Amino acid sequence: MPGRISIRMVMAVSLVLVPLLSFAADENVLLILPFDVHSEEDMSQFKQGIPGQFQEQLQREGINVLDLALTQRVLSYLSIETIGEEEAKQAAEFLEAPYGMYGSLSFVGNVASLDATLVSTKESRPSIRLFAQGKGVEDVPKLVRELSPKIVMYVFGNRRVTELDVEGNKRIEKEAILAVVVTKKGSLFSLENTNNDIKAIYEMGYFEDVRVRKEQLDEGLKLIFEVKENPTIVEVKYVGLDEIKESDAEDAFNVKAYSILNENKLKAGMESLKELYRKDGYLKAEISYKVEPVKEGEVLVVVDVKEGEKIYIRKISFTGNNAFAADDLKEVMDTSEKGILYWLFKTGKLEMPKLENDLENLSSFYQNHGYIRVKVGRPDIKIEDDGIYITIPIEEGPQYRFGQVKLEGDFIKPEEELRALLTSKEGEVYSREQVRADVLALRETYNNEGYAFPDVDPIQDTNDEKLLVNINYHIKKNNIIRFERINVGGNIKTRDKVVRRELVVFEQGLFSAKGLRKSSQNLQRLDFFENVDINTSQGSSEDTLILQVDVTEKKTGNLAVGAGFSSNEGIVTNFEIQERNFMGYGQRLGLSGQIGGKSSQFSIKLTEPWLFDIPLETTVGLFKLEREYDDFTKDSWGGSLSAKYPLYRAWDVDVWGTYQFESADVTDVDEDASILIRDQVGHHTTSAVTTGLRRDTRNQVFLTTEGSDNWISVEYAGGPLGGSSGFVKYILNSGWYFPFVWDTSFFTRGRIGYIQRSEGEELLLYEKFYLGGLNNLRGFQVRKVSPRDPITGDRIGGDKFVFFNLEFRFPIIKEAAIYGIGFFDVGNVYPDDETYDFTNLRRSVGGGIRWYSPLGPLRLEWGYNLAPESDESTSVWDFTIGYGF
């Protein structure tokens, strides 16, 4: 009958149905007939709408739904007006569709009922009726979705997977296994998918056998993956380790005892261990492993290592390098030949990622010297018995120069000002880095004027005949941007205003890249936060941004107890109790003490960095000090009040002032000491005001490599301020740090001072100047450079001093922050009846070590006195460590 119906259908319905007959061979074809709609209102749109919604849902599940327009023609052809079970079967048989569906949608009050009947043209499949109910028109799509899975189940029947399970797994979680399979609950059973699932489980590496078993359930299929786990590794044994620590080998191999044997992990571990040896220079190291059974379900993994000899880079050479010598090119590379101090500087090792990066460095080096057509080839690496030989081929090509350098587009400043920012000049050797620097300089200039997103396009035109590269910097400024709002987040303890007052950008203010960088630096310098993240997002309009400042707070309280040693003080113990962010207001409160062989001091300080909500840093402090000098002992106490204000924040210039009162007792004077020293015995008070300017741009306080520290101070004591000492003291300091090659740097400093006794008042000896020691003239003992009493020879201090330091600093072990220094120091102290004499300077040379150790900054320095006096040592060691724990 199907053959006769098919011929009759083709004749009756004509060629419009021919493309659809290809569905007839499919077992999952469904004919959906129009649904009857029962409602007091006109709901006729659902007559075809319901079949359309079913079609959309069911086709996603793999059911082929015949064209709905075709269905209407068939009903007309068959003269079917009222659709029931027989009529649905008749229409389905006519189109040779295995399944048909009809039904109705009814609205009674606020209740929507959806009925659907599924019929099969196969005599073995009975019809089923489905029903769903909801509220009103808005629930109709929900009712369609509710019935669709039941329709899918009817069409596909027992071919759908309704349950997945795993058997035989002991240590690997069931969920981890099922996560890698393609077959999922509710999907159709597929032999191809199942085979892929078995393969995927095998590839996990934990199983020696995987099988699948099917169980037929009433509602569908249940698939059970039967697995047999690999045995357990009871021990990983390493054989042949000599140059590599076993703990390092274990970390690299990363296969642990009592884990499940996994061939994938064993192979990966072997490669990782090989890489560890390669990085350490053992390029011929051979790594293998074997698995030995111990007992049922347990194995031993033996890792066999044949280390071989350590091989270093013996020679790096180049071919085709005519413009630059090999030594110049080697300086560009991180990869280096084995040197004399290879064991210290870790030279001579071949690391392929580093060598790959060196090829890029060489290419950039050439392009920054005008060779824009350079080609740096793959290196030829030969491993010989005596070392590694690397040859890098280079095709330099001709050298290009800058041709015309133009600016065009939107100018926010006169062209000559913008042109002054450019480093690329006509006629000079072309440099890609210079072009990049020019782009960044132009962008930053626009950024700092509120243009957050300027486009700077360096359009390059290469003239190969004249070997010129013409550059046209095309600038499009785009919109000027303002900060609509600034949000602060992450601060739990710290008050919002403490964060906001460090920002140099403001709400409704212009965008400034420089301002954002400076704001981030200011917040980092507070030392309140582990992280400071500053991000922007689009505001309410195209020309506004929202600034989000997120901070992560860290502990700001500190209780420290430390011990150390100083060549001058001997053993030193100290303690400090400090809170850097008192009550979240950014105030610093500290109590500290230090006891050494010749001195003891205690102090308490409170600092308010923003007095009256302006950047006026104010500190009030009390102190107690006792110090034993060579000829007397000074026991004093006092207090101070100081203030500092950023006079010009853009240049980091501060103005500061301090009032200090000191009450001191001088005792323990030797009977044969200078009369000037014996006259100091007794009680003294000093009331003084100091003011000064300072500009400090050092990148860090210890192990500084760049920046400068310049300051001038004037101290006035006595007079209307009272006290038993009256003087004016002037000091000028200038220190500069210059980075040099290979992480080295130079430091030069000069300091000059002068003190003038006020008329009719006393100038105490301990207020005068002395030199010697780590902080000024090395090679001389502390306070041993001073004018002397002509009768006793005692050092009595001077009225003026000058000294200069020149240092060269170089890394010894950079990763451990250990640096070496060489220095040359000159200086002297002069009495009041002499002037500065730069031909009469004490001189010393020497060297030492600086280390930021776990106990604090360490300085070990040896100075040689170039012209020692009769009672002076020819050299002096100075050592200090542990001031701070």
Side-chain angles (χ1 to χ4, degrees):
M1 183 178 71
R4 294 195 302 273
I5 294 175
S6 181
I7 295 172
R8 184 179 59 185
M9 175 191 68
V10 172
M11 295 174 60
V13 185
S14 189
L15 295 178
V16 295
L17 303 186
V18 172
L20 299 167
L21 296 180
S22 59
F23 284 135
D26 289 343
E27 290 296 317
N28 58 337
V29 176
L30 174 66
L31 169 68
I32 302 179
L33 299 166
F35 271 52
D36 292 332
V37 179
H38 307 289
S39 174
E40 295 180 356
E41 302 178 9
D42 182 14
M43 297 289 185
S44 57
Q45 71 270 20
F46 286 107
K47 192 174 183 68
Q48 294 295 332
I50 293 297
Q53 292 184 39
F54 272 119
Q55 181 183 34
E56 182 179 350
Q57 288 288 328
L58 297 175
Q59 283 183 341
R60 293 175 183 169
E61 297 290 333
I63 296 178
N64 293 320
V65 178
L66 292 179
D67 184 72
L68 300 179
L70 170 64
T71 303
Q72 194 63 43
R73 297 193 197 99
V74 170
L75 293 177
S76 177
Y77 176 77
L78 296 176
S79 301
I80 296 176
E81 296 181 359
T82 302
I83 302 173
E85 184 173 338
E86 291 302 321
E87 289 78 9
K89 283 186 178 181
Q90 181 185 1
E93 288 176 349
F94 185 84
L95 289 176
E96 299 181 356
Y99 302 101
M101 184 176 73
Y102 69 98
S104 64
L105 175 64
S106 303
F107 294 97
V108 180
N110 193 35
V111 177
S113 301
L114 182 62
D115 291 88
T117 301
L118 281 162
V119 299
S120 173
T121 58
K122 303 175 183 179
E123 294 182 358
S124 59
R125 295 294 303 276
S127 301
I128 64 168
R129 182 171 178 266
L130 307 174
F131 175 76
Q133 195 172 74
K135 294 182 179 181
V137 175
E138 62 273 11
D139 270 4
V140 172
K142 175 183 174 184
L143 302 180
V144 172
R145 290 192 299 270
E146 185 179 333
L147 294 185
S148 292
K150 299 176 182 179
I151 297 170
V152 171
M153 184 60 64
Y154 180 81
V155 172
F156 287 117
N158 293 341
R159 292 177 59 203
R160 185 163 295 279
V161 177
T162 57
E163 192 173 341
L164 291 167
D165 202 1
V166 178
E167 292 181 357
N169 58 311
K170 298 178 180 178
R171 302 186 64 181
I172 306 301
E173 296 290 337
K174 167 185 172 181
E175 290 74 15
I177 299 172
L178 294 180
V180 303
V181 303
V182 175
T183 304
K184 302 298 179 185
K185 185 176 179 180
S187 62
L188 294 177
F189 173 78
S190 165
L191 185 59
E192 180 182 0
N193 286 346
T194 305
N195 289 334
N196 289 334
D197 291 341
I198 293 173
K199 182 179 179 182
I201 295 173
Y202 264 122
E203 288 177 349
M204 293 177 71
Y206 296 109
F207 307 102
E208 62 179 58
D209 189 24
V210 181
R211 301 184 182 186
V212 67
R213 186 176 82 248
K214 294 189 295 183
E215 291 184 2
Q216 188 68 57
L217 305 177
D218 292 340
E219 63 273 17
L221 284 178
K222 178 180 180 179
L223 295 187
I224 302 102
F225 293 98
E226 299 175 340
V227 299
K228 183 179 180 182
E229 290 182 349
N230 286 335
T232 299
I233 300 171
V234 294
E235 184 184 357
V236 180
K237 185 178 180 181
Y238 296 87
V239 178
L241 292 181
D242 186 18
E243 299 298 331
I244 299 293
K245 294 180 181 178
E246 184 165 329
S247 59
D248 293 338
E250 290 173 347
D251 291 340
F253 197 62
N254 197 30
V255 175
K256 309 299 181 184
Y258 304 107
S259 63
I260 296 176
L261 179 68
N262 186 323
E263 289 290 340
N264 296 335
K265 292 194 70 174
L266 290 175
K267 292 175 182 177
M270 184 176 66
E271 292 302 318
S272 179
L273 189 53
K274 282 182 181 179
E275 183 61 26
L276 177 66
Y277 271 98
R278 282 194 289 266
K279 285 184 177 180
D280 209 34
Y282 295 90
L283 299 184
K284 292 185 177 181
E286 298 178 3
I287 315 291
S288 62
Y289 69 86
K290 56 184 177 180
V291 179
E292 299 178 354
V294 177
K295 60 181 181 180
E296 180 66 27
E298 295 182 353
V299 294
L300 165 69
V301 175
V302 179
V303 181
D304 187 26
V305 180
K306 294 180 175 59
E307 295 179 329
E309 293 293 326
K310 182 178 282 193
I311 302 176
Y312 292 94
I313 298 172
R314 180 70 60 182
K315 180 73 173 177
I316 298 176
S317 57
F318 306 87
T319 60
N321 57 310
N322 299 314
F324 300 100
D327 288 343
D328 295 330
L329 298 179
K330 290 176 187 177
E331 289 183 6
V332 179
M333 303 174 61
D334 291 327
T335 304
S336 60
E337 298 164 345
K338 179 182 178 182
I340 297 176
L341 298 177
Y342 68 94
W343 51 272
L344 180 61
F345 295 107
K346 309 297 183 183
T347 58
K349 291 184 179 181
L350 176 61
E351 299 179 39
M352 290 308 298
K354 186 184 290 186
L355 183 58
E356 292 285 343
N357 188 61
D358 285 336
L359 302 181
E360 293 294 329
N361 292 341
L362 288 168
S363 180
S364 296
F365 175 78
Y366 267 95
Q367 293 193 20
N368 290 333
H369 287 82
Y371 295 89
I372 64 175
R373 307 296 190 197
V374 67
K375 294 181 180 178
V376 180
R378 305 300 305 170
D380 177 36
I381 302 173
K382 293 182 179 178
I383 302 176
E384 307 289 353
D385 291 337
D386 63 338
I388 304 168
Y389 293 82
I390 301 175
T391 303
I392 301 176
I394 298 175
E395 295 180 21
E396 293 179 334
Q399 187 182 52
Y400 286 71
R401 293 181 175 272
F402 283 111
Q404 292 182 330
V405 180
K406 295 181 179 180
L407 286 169
E408 68 174 24
D410 303 327
F411 293 169
I412 62 171
K413 291 186 175 183
E415 183 176 352
E416 55 271 17
E417 288 189 32
L418 296 177
R419 186 171 289 278
L421 300 171
L422 304 180
T423 59
S424 50
K425 309 291 183 183
E426 185 173 347
E428 293 184 355
V429 174
Y430 173 86
S431 169
R432 186 176 65 176
E433 185 60 32
Q434 283 183 239
V435 174
R436 180 177 175 272
D438 290 346
V439 171
L440 293 177
L442 289 169
R443 282 179 180 166
E444 180 158 347
T445 299
Y446 278 68
N447 286 160
N448 294 334
E449 297 296 328
Y451 298 94
F453 309 110
D455 295 323
V456 181
D457 186 12
I459 302 172
Q460 303 192 38
D461 175 32
T462 304
N463 187 325
D464 294 322
E465 184 178 341
K466 296 182 178 181
L467 301 180
L468 295 176
V469 180
N470 301 312
I471 307 287
N472 187 358
Y473 294 99
H474 183 79
I475 305 171
K476 185 179 179 182
K477 63 183 181 181
N478 295 321
N479 292 338
I480 195 166
I481 304 296
R482 294 182 180 274
F483 290 114
E484 177 182 332
R485 190 170 67 254
I486 299 177
N487 298 328
V488 176
N491 53 316
I492 300 172
K493 172 184 176 182
T494 308
R495 310 300 173 105
D496 265 18
K497 75 172 186 177
V498 173
V499 177
R500 291 181 181 274
R501 69 194 184 191
E502 298 297 330
L503 305 179
V504 294
V505 293
F506 309 98
E507 292 182 346
Q508 305 307 316
L510 293 178
F511 177 91
S512 171
K514 182 178 180 181
L516 291 179
R517 285 198 304 272
K518 184 64 175 175
S519 298
S520 180
Q521 291 171 1
N522 290 347
L523 290 171
Q524 294 283 5
R525 283 182 181 179
L526 290 177
D527 200 26
F528 300 164
F529 311 113
E530 290 182 0
N531 295 301
V532 176
D533 293 319
I534 296 181
N535 298 293
T536 60
S537 59
Q538 185 64 55
S540 60
S541 62
E542 292 184 357
D543 58 355
T544 60
L545 289 175
I546 295 174
L547 181 64
Q548 182 68 41
V549 180
D550 290 314
V551 298
T552 304
E553 293 182 325
K554 64 181 179 181
K555 295 180 179 179
T556 54
N558 184 48
L559 172 61
V561 178
F565 180 82
S566 166
S567 56
N568 182 49
E569 289 280 347
I571 296 176
V572 178
T573 59
N574 56 68
F575 73 90
E576 181 178 29
I577 302 173
Q578 186 185 66
E579 171 55 60
R580 301 191 308 277
N581 188 12
F582 187 61
M583 301 293 288
Y585 285 102
Q587 299 165 339
R588 297 190 297 274
L589 177 63
L591 173 65
S592 63
Q594 179 176 297
I595 301 175
K598 293 184 178 181
S599 68
S600 62
Q601 59 183 6
F602 303 92
S603 66
I604 182 170
K605 288 184 179 181
L606 174 64
T607 299
E608 167 54 69
W610 281 68
L611 188 65
F612 308 126
D613 284 331
I614 61 174
L616 177 62
E617 182 178 286
T618 307
T619 301
V620 59
L622 298 172
F623 67 88
K624 178 72 170 66
L625 171 64
E626 183 177 353
R627 181 174 182 83
E628 180 183 329
Y629 295 97
D630 290 343
D631 303 305
F632 62 92
T633 299
K634 177 188 173 187
D635 187 356
S636 64
W637 63 270
S640 64
L641 176 64
S642 63
K644 181 176 72 173
Y645 186 81
L647 187 64
Y648 191 35
R649 296 186 76 171
W651 284 13
D652 298 304
V653 176
D654 295 329
V655 59
W656 54 273
T658 299
Y659 171 76
Q660 179 169 303
F661 176 82
E662 181 183 39
S663 174
D665 290 303
V666 176
T667 59
D668 301 331
V669 176
D670 294 340
E671 292 182 0
D672 56 352
S674 166
I675 185 65
L676 297 175
I677 297 176
R678 283 182 281 143
D679 285 345
Q680 304 290 303
V681 175
H683 181 73
H684 306 278
T685 59
T686 302
S687 179
V689 172
T690 306
T691 185
L693 290 173
R694 184 174 188 177
R695 182 174 188 262
D696 186 357
T697 62
R698 292 175 295 173
N699 60 342
Q700 54 194 22
V701 176
F702 192 69
L703 298 178
T704 312
T705 57
E706 60 180 320
S708 64
D709 185 17
N710 298 279
W711 52 267
I712 183 173
S713 68
V714 179
E715 182 179 1
Y716 175 81
L721 298 177
S724 53
S725 183
F727 59 85
V728 181
K729 184 185 293 186
Y730 310 89
I731 298 179
L732 174 64
N733 178 88
S734 182
W736 297 82
Y737 300 83
F738 303 97
F740 197 51
V741 297
W742 303 318
D743 296 313
T744 63
S745 63
F746 285 98
F747 167 59
T748 179
R749 175 176 61 179
R751 186 178 297 176
I752 188 170
Y754 173 69
I755 187 170
Q756 181 180 23
R757 180 175 63 86
S758 299
E759 186 175 352
E761 298 196 66
E762 184 180 11
L763 177 58
L764 300 170
L765 291 187
Y766 55 75
E767 296 289 359
K768 289 190 172 187
F769 297 123
Y770 301 81
L771 292 179
L774 267 179
N775 297 317
N776 42 71
L777 286 186
R778 290 156 288 192
F780 300 86
Q781 293 182 342
V782 176
R783 294 172 61 90
K784 294 300 185 182
V785 178
S786 161
R788 298 174 182 252
D789 184 298
I791 299 175
T792 64
D794 292 325
R795 293 172 175 83
I796 55 176
D799 299 83
K800 54 189 76 70
F801 78 92
V802 64
F803 71 82
F804 301 95
N805 307 116
L806 177 63
E807 283 185 1
F808 176 66
R809 303 180 181 182
F810 55 91
I812 297 178
I813 305 177
K814 184 180 178 182
E815 295 76 10
I818 301 177
Y819 281 71
I821 68 162
F823 65 80
F824 174 60
D825 294 344
V826 296
N828 210 342
V829 183
Y830 307 95
D832 58 356
D833 57 352
E834 292 184 19
T835 61
Y836 291 99
D837 184 0
F838 292 94
T839 64
N840 178 26
L841 297 175
R842 311 301 307 276
R843 295 168 296 155
S844 66
V845 296
I849 293 175
R850 304 271 175 89
W851 177 30
Y852 210 117
S853 76
L855 294 179
L858 175 148
R859 293 179 64 179
L860 174 62
E861 297 174 25
W862 173 83
Y864 180 76
N865 188 337
L866 293 174
E869 295 181 354
S870 59
D871 60 345
E872 292 179 337
S873 301
T874 56
S875 65
V876 173
W877 282 96
D878 284 306
F879 175 74
T880 180
I881 186 175
Y883 290 91
F885 185 75

